[in-house]
Amino acid sequence: MPIEDSITTCLSPPVYDMICKLGFEVKESCDINSIVTQRGEVCWRTITDCVVYTESAQSLDYRGSVMLLGPVCAAVHSHLLSLTKGQFEIRYMPWLQWTAFPELFPELVDALETPGAPALPLGLMKLTACLERALGDVFLLNGKECPFLLRDLLTSEELAEVFGRPVMDVLKVFIGSPCGLNLRNILWHGFASPHEIPPKYCSVMILLTAGLGQLLERYLQRTEAVLARRPLVALTGLEELAVFPDVTSEVLSVLEEVVKKSTFVSKVMLPYWEAALIRFRSHRFADCAMLLLTQLETGLRRVFATVNECPERLLTAESTALYTTFDEILAKHLSDGKINQLPLFLGAPAMEFLWDFLNHQEGPRLRDHLSHGEFNLHDFPREATTQLLAFSVVLLLRFTDEDVSTAFKGKAAIKSLVALAEGYTAHFHPISQLKKQVLSCEKSIRVWPLLPLPQEAEEAARLEGTSEARACKSLITEILRELYHHLPESHGAVGDGDGLPAETWPQLIRELCGTPVPTLFCPRTVVEVLTVLRNISAQCARASGQVVASAGLRHQQWVERRLRSRQRQTYLHMLGSIKLLSPVLYLILLLIALELVNIHAVCGKNTSEYQQYLKFLKSILQYMENLVAYTSQQKNKWSETIALTRTALLKIWTFSEKKQMLVHLAKKSTSKGVL
């Protein structure tokens, strides 16, 4: 799909004027000695005096403030350029330690030497991220829960108490409001091209950060408080992230060519893509990921504006409207309620990838964590950046001439990436996570028959033969009779009425969990049901883990004759309960899997039916929570689990008889087997 590339800027005229012109209108110079002393101490009064307010004094006059701050920024910029590396380190590095990322700043000073290059906006992105993180740590000196958004952080009383309101207002002019320069947002959302960020704004942000460090030190000395740093976010589950193989030099060379020929990449943004590849080859994986994420957003915003026929959404919005960011680009509906055409155009696999890496709460949420300074950039994994690069290759090829695209796709490495991208399914959606939970729990229960047993286990068999235990087994069989139509065909014959062949359970549950279930744009009711099902599954896993741990411990104590008489009886009761609980937990996992496969049928329930269904699921959850409590080593109420289980099975049987489970409401059953 071709996209017209006639744009020279992604900044709307008022925003372009604010950033690129307004701060240059006042021509008078400013004495650097009135801004910073020879020892590097920031004279805040000179800076805060440039911030002006509206006539009512109720809000900042952002335009007036940017104009007056222009000469200050120019003086600071000239000052930093005049310093040697050693002079900068002596004067300012002690005051930058509070950011927990002081090594960034000499690198950023070097970038000032090459205005218009991607290194400067990239450095400013990293500065705003680490500054936000550090300010959040300072907030917690006086506050309890740090605001998620930088603009809320900068308006907080907690930070004003440490730094003073006038200082916070200076930061708001530069990075805290869409009415001001808003440097953080226009960079992190990919609106500004490299040459549109005046270097003097980067210089002044370096000085302001050092000045904040000075104010913080005085506050800590005065209050004797201690600044604690929150732990950074660890990017775990890399094996789940690695859908694409590591990119080879051949793939990088192809991407190098494609970025020049794909209409997905605007010419004014091309330097960012080139810089991303350079950073990857230099093993600067976090830098590469930052550049790729911002440029994927820029390119997708162009596609969004094209397919939805709203070219005005391409540019930065004014303070009275919302920016068009990933949140709206990847949403099902537009702000006016119309269907967003972008998901239909990109297709489900591409949308699933973007949602996995950007939005899902249990996914890596790369852009969120990077932009809020929550990752250790030095340890950012190559695997994560590799996924973004591979996805970018496939995406950009969709926006190249057919002949060029065909030629590149003919290469084996690229052909493989395209096939993987086209077959991508969600990994971090709650539906996918529930499938993993069920399979993990089933694997845990599969260990139970292998647990060591004492010779006296016949006592456990007698317990298993009690009337209450037999009633439970009978109920399990009856419930399965009710559900047999909905089992996969190969598992229609579940049992002979007296028992359940254990060997059939693992394959049956794996088969159900392997059934594709739509994940994009799940309605609220689906998400609510998934939450309860996941809680049930989690409690199943806890119960199974406790059984395995308790059985192992008690058997060892039995062999070593360290159990008192009452403990020996409790152990035997446990063994009897385990023989019953194994099929019960398998049954619950089966119910979860069947309901999951038919999860979207919940949308067909009316409000009353839906509430009854939720009540039923929560009763199972309550049973599982009680079971976890009873089987804990602290309580050891193994005998009581039988009565508890019978009550739960009766509820399942009664509700199943009403044909109100999702598996009953689905238009098609998954089997026509016979019991």
Side-chain angles (χ1 to χ4, degrees):
M1 171 188 172
I3 307 176
E4 185 181 350
D5 188 20
S6 59
I7 60 167
T8 56
T9 180
C10 290
L11 303 177
S12 63
V15 173
Y16 183 88
D17 180 66
M18 172 73 79
I19 294 172
C20 301
K21 296 181 178 179
L22 198 59
F24 297 86
E25 289 188 3
V26 177
K27 301 299 182 183
E28 63 187 56
S29 60
C30 185
D31 181 8
I32 189 62
N33 293 314
S34 69
I35 303 170
V36 61
T37 69
Q38 290 295 318
R39 297 171 56 190
E41 294 176 352
V42 176
C43 305
W44 279 100
R45 182 64 181 269
T46 303
I47 302 173
T48 57
D49 281 351
C50 294
V51 176
V52 292
Y53 300 83
T54 58
E55 289 184 11
S56 63
Q58 295 297 309
S59 60
L60 283 166
D61 177 355
Y62 287 96
R63 288 185 60 84
S65 299
V66 170
M67 286 179 64
L68 293 179
L69 284 164
V72 172
C73 298
V76 170
H77 182 58
S78 298
H79 166 64
L80 291 185
L81 287 176
S82 71
L83 298 177
T84 65
K85 185 175 182 180
Q87 288 173 326
F88 176 81
E89 290 182 355
I90 291 171
R91 291 193 195 183
Y92 297 111
M93 287 301 283
W95 310 115
L96 295 168
Q97 301 300 315
W98 75 284
T99 64
F101 195 13
E103 62 271 27
L104 164 67
F105 294 88
E107 182 182 301
L108 194 45
V109 171
D110 289 342
L112 297 175
E113 302 279 358
T114 53
L120 191 141
L122 173 62
L124 192 49
M125 286 166 63
K126 292 195 281 188
L127 187 157
T128 59
C130 85
L131 178 59
E132 179 179 349
R133 182 71 175 177
L135 287 172
D137 292 336
V138 175
F139 174 94
L140 294 174
L141 288 171
N142 301 308
K144 292 184 178 180
E145 187 172 343
C146 184
F148 178 72
L149 297 176
L150 178 59
R151 66 168 182 260
D152 296 331
L153 192 58
L154 296 182
T155 57
S156 69
E157 290 301 322
E158 287 81 356
L159 287 188
E161 184 177 337
V162 177
F163 299 113
R165 177 56 60 200
V167 171
M168 291 293 97
D169 286 345
V170 171
L171 291 181
K172 284 169 65 178
V173 171
F174 285 100
I175 58 174
S177 170
C179 300
L181 291 167
N182 206 18
L183 296 172
R184 178 203 181 275
N185 284 345
I186 65 165
L187 284 169
W188 275 104
H189 291 298
F191 286 108
S193 63
H195 68 274
E196 288 176 319
I197 299 298
K200 69 179 185 178
Y201 292 143
C202 187
S203 294
V204 81
M205 286 303 302
I206 296 172
L207 188 77
L208 293 179
T209 305
L212 291 170
Q214 295 162 12
L215 293 175
L216 175 62
E217 181 171 286
R218 291 171 203 159
Y219 177 83
L220 295 177
Q221 288 175 348
R222 186 172 71 251
T223 61
E224 298 183 349
V226 177
L227 180 66
R229 302 196 191 284
R230 293 165 291 168
L232 294 170
V233 174
L235 193 53
T236 57
L238 293 178
E239 64 284 350
E240 290 187 63
L241 282 175
V243 177
F244 298 106
D246 191 15
V247 292
T248 61
S249 56
E250 180 186 15
V251 172
L252 291 175
S253 297
V254 168
L255 184 54
E256 212 164 27
E257 290 299 313
V258 171
V259 296
K260 298 172 186 174
K261 298 176 180 179
S262 176
T263 57
F264 186 86
V265 179
S266 173
K267 288 184 176 62
V268 295
M269 299 297 184
L270 180 59
Y272 285 128
W273 286 91
E274 294 171 338
L277 290 169
I278 292 171
R279 298 282 171 152
F280 185 83
R281 289 189 169 108
S282 303
H283 298 273
R284 302 287 293 268
F285 302 122
D287 289 1
C288 178
M290 289 179 188
L291 292 166
L292 288 175
L293 287 165
T294 57
Q295 291 314 299
L296 283 171
E297 182 167 357
T298 301
L300 287 170
R301 184 163 44 241
R302 295 178 67 215
V303 181
F304 171 91
T306 301
V307 297
N308 288 302
E309 299 179 352
C310 52
E312 71 281 359
R313 303 306 298 273
L314 180 62
L315 305 180
T316 46
E318 311 313 318
S319 58
T320 55
L322 294 172
Y323 284 10
T324 304
T325 64
F326 270 134
D327 288 343
E328 186 170 6
I329 291 169
L330 302 181
K332 183 177 182 178
H333 295 99
L334 304 178
S335 55
D336 61 5
K338 294 180 181 177
I339 294 291
N340 179 8
Q341 297 299 309
L342 182 76
L344 300 174
F345 173 78
L346 287 183
M351 288 294 295
E352 296 285 17
F353 178 91
L354 291 166
W355 269 85
D356 262 359
F357 277 74
L358 300 175
N359 287 3
H360 288 315
Q361 287 302 302
E362 292 172 88
R365 291 172 51 218
L366 294 180
R367 217 278 297 282
D368 274 358
H369 290 312
L370 282 168
S371 65
H372 293 297
E374 296 170 351
F375 282 146
N376 182 332
L377 301 188
H378 299 301
D379 296 335
F380 193 82
R382 176 189 178 105
E383 295 91 334
T385 307
T386 292
Q387 303 308 300
L388 294 176
L389 280 169
F391 177 78
S392 297
V393 171
V394 177
L395 183 63
L396 266 61
L397 281 172
R398 294 181 60 174
F399 298 88
T400 56
D401 290 340
E402 189 173 344
D403 292 345
V404 175
S405 176
T406 302
F408 282 130
K409 288 179 181 178
K411 298 177 180 288
I414 305 302
K415 187 176 182 180
S416 171
L417 293 183
V418 171
L420 288 169
E422 290 176 347
Y424 189 91
T425 56
H427 287 64
F428 299 104
H429 189 280
I431 285 176
S432 310
Q433 295 297 99
L434 177 55
K435 288 181 177 182
K436 292 173 200 167
Q437 283 180 254
V438 169
L439 291 173
S440 174
C441 186
E442 184 280 319
K443 187 176 180 181
S444 173
I445 300 171
R446 213 186 312 161
V447 174
W448 291 18
L450 306 178
L451 295 173
L453 297 174
Q455 293 180 350
E456 294 84 343
E458 290 80 6
E459 174 67 28
R462 283 197 294 275
L463 175 63
E464 188 188 6
T466 64
S467 60
E468 209 156 26
R470 288 195 299 272
C472 288
K473 297 188 76 172
S474 177
L475 280 168
I476 292 172
T477 302
E478 289 303 315
I479 292 168
L480 284 166
R481 284 186 190 280
E482 171 57 34
L483 297 176
Y484 82 94
H485 287 296
H486 310 283
L487 298 178
E489 288 185 10
S490 58
H491 297 276
V494 177
D496 57 9
D498 294 323
L500 302 172
E503 64 275 8
T504 67
W505 288 98
Q507 185 182 350
L508 171 57
I509 289 172
R510 283 198 299 270
E511 205 169 306
L512 287 168
C513 287
T515 305
V517 181
T519 54
L520 271 181
F521 309 129
C522 286
R524 179 184 57 81
T525 52
V526 170
V527 175
E528 286 180 347
V529 170
L530 282 171
T531 300
V532 181
L533 291 176
R534 291 191 65 186
N535 287 336
I536 296 170
S537 178
Q539 294 300 322
C540 270
R542 283 189 65 189
S544 179
Q546 287 182 176
V547 165
V548 172
S550 294
L553 175 64
R554 292 306 185 200
H555 181 262
Q556 182 180 355
Q557 292 172 332
W558 177 286
V559 171
E560 295 172 357
R561 300 184 180 278
R562 290 193 288 120
L563 293 177
R564 295 188 299 272
S565 175
R566 184 174 177 182
Q567 289 176 319
R568 291 166 66 87
Q569 287 303 311
T570 300
Y571 178 39
L572 293 174
H573 282 304
M574 179 178 77
L575 295 177
S577 297
I578 286 175
K579 291 191 175 185
L580 172 64
L581 291 179
S582 176
V584 170
L585 292 191
Y586 265 127
L587 173 64
I588 288 176
L589 290 183
L590 173 62
L591 288 174
I592 292 173
L594 283 170
E595 295 301 89
L596 175 58
V597 169
N598 300 286
I599 190 76
H600 290 280
V602 75
C603 300
K605 287 181 176 288
N606 62 38
T607 303
S608 175
E609 291 170 340
Y610 176 67
Q611 292 303 324
Q612 287 297 312
Y613 179 65
L614 269 187
K615 184 178 179 182
F616 162 68
L617 290 184
K618 288 177 180 178
S619 72
I620 299 179
L621 176 58
Q622 185 65 61
Y623 161 69
M624 286 309 310
E625 289 171 345
N626 291 338
L627 189 64
V628 167
Y630 282 19
T631 58
S632 67
Q633 291 187 19
Q634 292 73 28
K635 290 197 173 181
N636 269 321
K637 292 186 176 181
W638 294 97
S639 297
E640 290 88 336
T641 61
I642 307 295
L644 184 72
T645 298
R646 184 182 182 188
T647 301
L649 289 171
L650 277 170
K651 288 181 180 178
I652 294 172
W653 165 243
T654 302
F655 196 81
S656 179
E657 281 284 278
K658 295 177 182 177
K659 303 288 193 293
Q660 282 300 303
M661 292 171 62
L662 302 186
V663 73
H664 296 124
L665 301 180
K667 292 182 179 177
K668 288 185 177 181
S669 66
T670 54
S671 165
K672 300 188 185 293
V674 272
L675 190 65

